Amino acid sequence: MNLNKRQTFASEKWKKLQTKKGIIIYVGAASCGRAAGCDAVTEAIRKYLKENNLKADILEVGCIGLCCFEPIVYIQKDEIPPICYANLSPKIIPKLLEDIFKKGDLRRDLALGVIGEKAHGSIPIIYEHPMMKSQVRIVLRNCGIIDPNDIDHYIAKDGYAGINKALRMKPEEVIEIVKKSGIKGRGGAGFPTALKWELCRNAKGEPKYIVCNADEGDPGAFMNRSLLEGDPHAVLEGMLIAAYAIGAPHGYIYIREEYPLAIERLKIAIQQMHDYSLLGEKIMDTNFSFDIEIKEGAGAFVCGEETALLASLMGQRGMPRTRPPFPATSGVWGKPTVINNVETLGTIATIIREGWKWYSGFGAKTAKGTKTFSLVGKIKRTGLIEVPLGTKIKDIVYDVGGGILNDKKFKAVQTGGPSGGCIPASKIDLRIDYESLTSVGAIMGSGGLIVMDEETCMVDIAHYFLTFTQEESCGKCTPCRIGTKRMLEMLEKIKKGDGEESDLELLEDLAPTIKNASLCGLGQTAPNPVLTTLRYFKNEYEAHIKNKRCPALVCKDLIAFNIDAKKCIGCGLCKKNCPVEAISGATKKAHVIDLDKCIKCSICYQICPVEGKAVFKTSGGSK
Amino acid sequence: MKSEKFSIKKSIKPFKDKKGTLITILQHVQKEYGYLSKETISTIADELSKSENEIYGVATFYSQFKFNKPGKHQVKVCLGTACHVRGGHELMETVERQLVIKHGEKTKDSQFSLERVACMGCCALAPVMVVDKEIYGKTTSTKVKQILNKYKNNGGR
């Protein structure tokens, strides 16, 4: 393939789209957009266009990361650049389109910003939006901007220029650039990427393999899904470069089956690469040949661990093994193998294209570059973000995330999934990099940032994660299999109000044993959520044990629901929706909950329309 | 049964001589039949010249594989971290109550089966539930009835 020719063609195609006369509608159609109802919105748009005899191109793009504003649609018309509209519903569509197309009113109230480089009238560019402003988008640069199903869009955005450049260098030189960039593995452990490559390149045994780890199993993390859905070629180009650097003729993408849309987009992208001779024999007229195969995982969290992943890739039970030998010397079919995370690979092409100096200009001293995070939980603006490493937790929670949902009190942020820890609000000035997170007992992990407020019970959170790791423990080694079970039993006891003070000592005693003696990362990190919550929120554990009280009003066995007779307006909504008929009261009179009947389902609490809620929870005293 | 055996053999064929494809084969067969029956496992074992034990050994390790026929509509409630802190467990309990089954079970009329999943990757829209392929974001307990009714009334879409 002649890249120059392709680039010229692709750039023109991209430019044409930007300057095309008529209406173009871009729909944010990643999994999250679909969950938020983008299909119904698109349907409403089509209906309106048809009824009004308007013609338009409708294009599906990936997720721009503003997930809390979904469904999102960008509307472009003649000289008006694509403007991003948020929180749409089929109901709003006719009026919105009527205003834009017929009245020339761009509906500033619903617009988030312009997708482009210039503001349009009073509508600023999207990157000026408070959620986007402090982000640095390197990995996510194309997500939500280009059509992920069109390789030309990717090429127009300098796609495949990285591999083009790499193929003109010696593999060792490519590794050197990656080394100087300072990038560390983005999957969680933070092992320097170039070192992995070098070890594999120098290892004996042929053929070598490159594996893309897309088994994003941490609950609460979806960075890899979004990247694969929004810009699959970025990851695939990274794989090409890695394969060239280590000398691998074959690669695998191990992706979890829970991500059907990402799998579909990858398949399309791989086919397009074949069509453009970017896969197969003699890529870009060099002697480099490479092919990629997709392997779907089958739903086992432990398969994110590299040796378990390898076992699963080879069709076996996904159980980890002891290391060494490391995969770099003995991986797929016993051959030298590099396993890189999706985000790591998604960054590589940009590093090669722009140079290591440019990349290492971002980030902190010991942690170069940017990192994507899924910002979720009790936060106003949830979504997928990318910030330089070394950014303060405070800046992420308040500047990017807009603060805590319903202006409640910020309690903690959880990083690193079930292997990570809870960082308390008092450490809000902590800068996010590998070392500082480890110093507070958490880990970087793959990038889930789950924000917790005063209504989150830390004992419940520890219990939640232990339930998860206990279930996902593969059972091979005893400390993990039985240790996590015992920890979980103690947490269950505490949650129910049956805990004893000695349980806390036992937990603290058992944790290091599990950490030190477990075979793989799952067990070695499983106690982290318990240890960090014990370290920073011991008072909550003590309240559960000594006072039989859940301060956050979460643990069911320790709380009760009541109705404030002064606030209750007697609307009857709670009574009507109570599944066990525990609520009584006449219309317009204060209602009462029969505590013996109440199953604490919380529906009355959720549904109460009174401002400040007439239904309230209590805890403590009697059990 | 004879025809099923035949089509299982057919779907195994492209992978039969490649190494490490057992999981892929199981995925293909399950996609076709919805679950892995005893007979299916036995056919696969014969075809691959492996023992049924070996096949079960791999299949039972992974949560994707089912050994009982699922209901007409498959309901999944996400219990990922983001969903958990935004009320995923309450959502699960509500669904269980409405369907009168626990997760991992099937309703008597075989209309619904209920599962929990660790994370759908739609964390920004938590809590999330999925019916068949439709994802429902920001599903509070109060919306459950309405969602399930959609599938009860018209027998599914």
Side-chain angles (χ1 to χ4, degrees):
Chain A
M1 178 188 103
N2 184 323
L3 188 70
N4 284 343
K5 261 190 204 161
R6 287 279 181 208
Q7 264 171 345
T8 319
F9 172 78
S11 302
E12 267 165 28
K13 186 170 166 183
W14 178 252
K15 210 173 149 193
K16 246 185 219 163
L17 184 69
Q18 308 296 302
T19 52
K20 197 176 169 180
K21 287 265 177 261
I23 303 165
I24 304 173
I25 288 166
Y26 307 76
V27 184
S31 295
C32 43
R34 293 189 176 177
C38 77
D39 286 343
V41 169
T42 315
E43 210 39 58
I45 294 175
R46 284 188 205 280
K47 192 171 163 237
Y48 174 88
L49 292 169
K50 202 178 162 197
E51 284 170 2
N52 289 277
N53 273 325
L54 289 166
K55 279 213 164 63
D57 294 326
I58 298 183
L59 230 66
E60 287 193 350
V61 293
C63 173
I64 197 164
L66 301 161
C67 307
C68 54
F69 298 105
E70 308 257 25
I72 282 178
V73 163
Y74 322 148
I75 299 172
Q76 171 186 337
K77 185 180 179 254
D78 300 328
E79 278 75 41
I80 304 164
I83 292 171
C84 174
Y85 292 96
N87 295 118
L88 298 179
S89 67
K91 227 170 124 188
I92 311 179
I93 289 294
K95 178 85 172 69
L96 172 72
L97 299 185
E98 187 83 11
D99 287 345
I100 299 174
F101 298 149
K102 301 232 166 108
K103 295 181 188 151
D105 172 6
L106 292 180
R107 292 299 298 272
R108 181 73 187 86
D109 57 322
L110 291 174
L112 286 185
V114 175
I115 308 287
E117 273 129 46
K118 267 191 289 185
H120 185 82
S122 65
I123 302 172
I125 59 169
I126 193 84
Y127 300 106
E128 287 294 315
H129 188 274
M131 192 171 175
M132 300 289 255
K133 217 172 172 178
S134 43
Q135 292 192 44
V136 175
R137 294 169 82 89
I138 295 175
V139 185
L140 302 176
R141 66 193 180 102
N142 290 329
C143 285
I145 307 291
I146 64 168
D147 177 354
N149 286 334
D150 191 337
I151 187 171
D152 289 329
H153 281 198
Y154 180 66
I155 293 177
K157 296 278 179 186
D158 295 326
Y160 293 107
I163 180 68
N164 192 40
K165 195 171 163 189
L167 287 175
R168 282 157 222 278
M169 295 187 250
K170 283 188 194 145
E172 290 82 2
E173 290 171 338
V174 176
I175 295 178
E176 195 56 28
I177 293 176
V178 175
K179 189 183 276 177
K180 282 183 176 158
S181 79
I183 186 171
K184 292 179 183 176
R186 297 293 191 238
F191 191 78
T193 306
L195 200 57
K196 232 185 210 179
W197 290 11
E198 206 167 51
L199 284 170
C200 181
R201 176 158 189 87
N202 296 331
K204 284 200 182 96
E206 296 289 339
K208 295 184 164 91
Y209 291 95
I210 168 87
V211 177
C212 170
N213 183 352
D215 193 44
E216 186 174 45
D218 280 3
F222 58 92
M223 302 78 49
N224 297 348
R225 173 186 67 68
S226 273
L227 180 57
L228 290 168
E229 287 176 357
D231 195 13
H233 285 286
V235 181
L236 294 166
E237 188 184 357
M239 274 185 92
L240 273 178
I241 296 170
Y244 174 70
I246 61 171
H250 198 81
Y252 293 100
I253 300 174
Y254 186 89
I255 181 165
R256 63 199 297 248
E257 53 99 21
E258 288 93 335
Y259 288 173
L261 186 64
I263 295 172
E264 186 191 314
R265 297 224 162 125
L266 274 173
K267 282 182 179 162
I268 293 170
I270 289 173
Q271 185 52 49
Q272 290 170 340
M273 287 174 80
H274 276 290
D275 295 344
Y276 278 30
S277 304
L278 285 162
L279 281 179
E281 302 288 318
K282 298 200 177 299
I283 291 166
M284 290 179 156
D285 302 319
T286 63
N287 283 326
F288 172 56
S289 304
F290 184 62
D291 213 342
I292 295 175
E293 199 178 315
I294 296 176
K295 284 268 186 180
E296 287 180 38
F301 173 70
V302 71
C303 289
E305 196 279 339
E306 55 181 17
T307 59
L309 184 151
L310 288 171
S312 178
L313 192 76
M314 295 186 280
Q316 301 153 7
R317 288 166 71 89
M319 284 173 142
R321 60 163 172 80
T322 45
R323 296 176 301 179
F326 287 91
T329 51
S330 177
V332 186
W333 314 118
K335 303 295 180 193
T337 303
V338 162
I339 302 165
N340 279 149
N341 166 266
V342 168
E343 187 181 339
T344 315
L345 290 168
T347 316
I348 294 296
T350 310
I351 293 177
I352 300 293
R353 204 179 57 241
E354 306 289 337
W356 62 268
K357 265 191 192 155
W358 175 83
Y359 186 76
S360 63
F362 298 99
K365 214 174 179 184
T366 53
K368 298 295 181 197
T370 57
K371 174 84 193 78
T372 60
F373 292 100
S374 61
L375 186 58
V376 294
K378 305 282 189 77
I379 190 148
K380 279 185 188 152
R381 292 195 287 258
T382 54
L384 177 68
I385 64 162
E386 181 175 358
V387 290
L389 283 163
T391 303
K392 283 183 184 176
I393 291 178
K394 183 168 77 184
D395 297 340
I396 295 180
V397 171
Y398 288 98
D399 293 351
V400 182
I404 306 302
L405 201 65
N406 303 324
D407 293 315
K408 300 264 180 192
K409 215 169 129 198
F410 174 42
K411 187 189 245 175
V413 56
Q414 207 277 346
T415 69
S419 311
C422 292
I423 304 163
S426 59
K427 301 216 178 289
I428 197 166
D429 283 316
L430 190 82
R431 290 184 183 277
I432 295 197
D433 61 52
Y434 296 90
E435 285 83 6
S436 48
L437 284 177
T438 312
S439 75
V440 295
I443 63 162
M444 174 76 78
S446 59
L449 275 185
I450 295 128
V451 178
M452 295 161 183
D453 67 0
E454 56 191 309
E455 290 181 352
T456 313
C457 169
M458 301 319 271
V459 178
D460 177 65
I461 287 297
H463 175 267
Y464 165 79
F465 280 119
L466 252 291
T467 311
F468 182 82
T469 35
Q470 203 275 319
E471 233 164 60
E472 293 294 336
S473 171
C474 78
K476 186 169 177 174
C477 70
T478 320
C480 176
R481 182 183 67 240
I482 299 177
T484 54
K485 179 83 183 160
R486 293 289 100 86
M487 281 189 117
L488 180 61
E489 283 166 358
M490 278 184 260
L491 291 167
E492 258 159 23
K493 250 173 82 185
I494 297 171
K495 240 176 94 71
K496 280 191 180 149
D498 297 331
E500 298 156 57
E501 279 180 66
S502 57
D503 287 333
L504 296 186
E505 281 166 44
L506 260 173
L507 279 173
E508 277 168 340
D509 190 42
L510 189 53
T513 312
I514 300 173
K515 282 182 86 144
N516 296 333
S518 289
L519 181 62
C520 82
L522 191 146
Q524 287 160 11
T525 57
N528 283 352
V530 181
L531 284 177
T532 49
T533 46
L534 263 177
R535 185 163 153 190
Y536 301 115
F537 302 97
K538 200 163 196 171
N539 57 339
E540 284 193 38
Y541 281 87
E542 284 166 352
H544 283 73
I545 294 170
K546 288 183 196 160
N547 311 329
K548 312 294 171 203
R549 197 170 76 82
C550 174
L553 305 172
V554 171
C555 296
K556 264 195 176 178
D557 293 294
L558 302 180
I559 59 166
F561 286 82
N562 288 292
I563 295 174
D564 184 341
K566 280 181 198 146
K567 279 188 184 170
C568 181
I569 53 169
C571 68
L573 258 181
C574 56
K575 185 176 156 188
K576 199 176 143 211
N577 283 282
C578 176
V580 288
E581 294 176 0
I583 302 176
S584 55
T587 314
K588 292 189 178 170
K589 292 268 161 56
H591 285 42
V592 186
I593 300 176
D594 181 343
L595 296 182
D596 289 330
K597 279 189 188 166
C598 176
I599 54 165
K600 301 169 190 176
C601 69
S602 176
I603 287 182
C604 54
Y605 182 75
Q606 286 175 32
I607 212 164
C608 179
V610 180
E611 207 186 319
K613 297 210 183 283
V615 181
F616 66 98
K617 295 189 259 188
T618 55
S619 179
S622 61
K623 198 202 128 187
Chain B
M1 190 56 220
K2 202 177 175 186
S3 64
E4 185 178 314
K5 212 170 190 170
F6 176 75
S7 78
I8 290 173
K9 281 182 182 177
K10 212 170 130 191
S11 50
I12 291 178
K13 216 178 166 194
F15 309 104
K16 203 178 157 184
D17 300 319
K18 283 173 101 181
K19 50 179 182 174
T21 49
L22 178 56
I23 294 171
T24 316
I25 288 170
L26 293 172
Q27 284 169 333
H28 273 259
V29 174
Q30 178 164 293
K31 203 170 185 184
E32 188 101 344
Y33 299 99
Y35 72 113
L36 304 169
S37 67
K38 269 186 185 169
E39 293 76 17
T40 316
I41 298 265
S42 152
T43 311
I44 297 172
D46 282 349
E47 276 302 293
L48 301 178
S49 311
K50 288 187 180 193
S51 70
E52 285 180 32
N53 265 350
E54 267 181 90
I55 313 285
Y56 273 113
V58 171
T60 53
F61 185 84
Y62 296 98
S63 62
Q64 183 186 7
F65 299 117
K66 298 182 186 73
F67 306 95
N68 292 308
K69 197 174 178 185
K72 187 176 174 194
H73 300 294
Q74 297 184 38
V75 184
K76 295 176 188 168
V77 176
C78 181
L79 295 180
T81 321
C83 290
H84 177 79
V85 300
R86 282 200 178 185
H89 274 90
E90 282 162 5
L91 178 63
M92 176 58 105
E93 282 170 14
T94 309
V95 178
E96 286 181 337
R97 223 174 21 245
Q98 301 247 342
L99 294 176
V100 209
I101 50 172
K102 294 282 171 206
H103 60 83
E105 294 176 354
K106 185 164 66 171
T107 53
K108 272 192 188 139
D109 60 1
S110 294
Q111 284 297 301
F112 294 96
S113 49
L114 178 61
E115 276 175 69
R116 50 182 191 165
V117 287
C119 187
M120 303 295 297
C122 300
C123 316
L125 301 163
V128 172
M129 78 182 253
V130 181
V131 185
D132 299 333
K133 289 200 167 155
E134 195 86 15
I135 306 173
Y136 297 92
K138 294 185 184 165
T139 316
T140 47
S141 301
T142 45
K143 289 184 192 160
V144 171
K145 203 176 201 169
Q146 204 187 345
I147 294 172
L148 291 176
N149 273 343
K150 274 210 296 208
Y151 296 85
K152 278 180 189 161
N153 294 344
N154 61 10
R157 289 178 290 175

